[in-house]
């Protein structure tokens, strides 16, 4: 009985592997596109506003670290 369950689970994982691999690849692609988009938004700002963004990120990091 245990062998039947284990073989069923093994066959199920073998069938699910390609589907999961495709989903991970698709998700990684969207993450890369989002990161490039955010970098583009940052570099399209004026130098003064880029400084403000860096300052805000630094302050946020300090606040998160102190909690």
């Amino acid at each position: 009985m245990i062998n039947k369950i284990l073989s069923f689970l093994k066959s199920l994982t073998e069938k699910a592997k390609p589907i999961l691999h495709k989903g991970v690849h698709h998700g990684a692609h969207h993450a890369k596109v989002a990161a490039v988009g955010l970098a583009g938004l940052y570099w399209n700002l004026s130098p003064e506003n880029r400084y403000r963004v860096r300052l805000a990120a630094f302050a946020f990091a300090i606040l998160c670290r102190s909690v």
Side-chain angles (χ1 to χ4, degrees):
M1 184 67 176
I2 298 277
N3 291 337
K4 286 183 180 181
I5 293 172
L6 290 176
S7 66
F8 172 73
L9 289 176
K10 186 176 179 181
S11 68
L12 190 64
T13 56
E14 292 299 322
K15 289 178 184 177
K17 269 185 188 177
I19 297 168
L20 291 174
H21 181 69
K22 184 178 179 182
V24 167
H25 178 70
H26 189 68
H29 173 72
H30 282 291
K32 287 178 187 176
V33 169
V36 169
L38 286 175
L41 287 175
Y42 175 77
W43 289 109
N44 287 336
L45 293 173
S46 68
E48 184 178 86
N49 285 337
R50 283 197 304 261
Y51 174 75
R52 289 178 181 159
V53 169
R54 285 192 307 270
L55 189 63
F58 185 71
F60 181 74
I62 290 173
L63 289 173
C64 287
R65 182 72 176 162
S66 65
V67 173

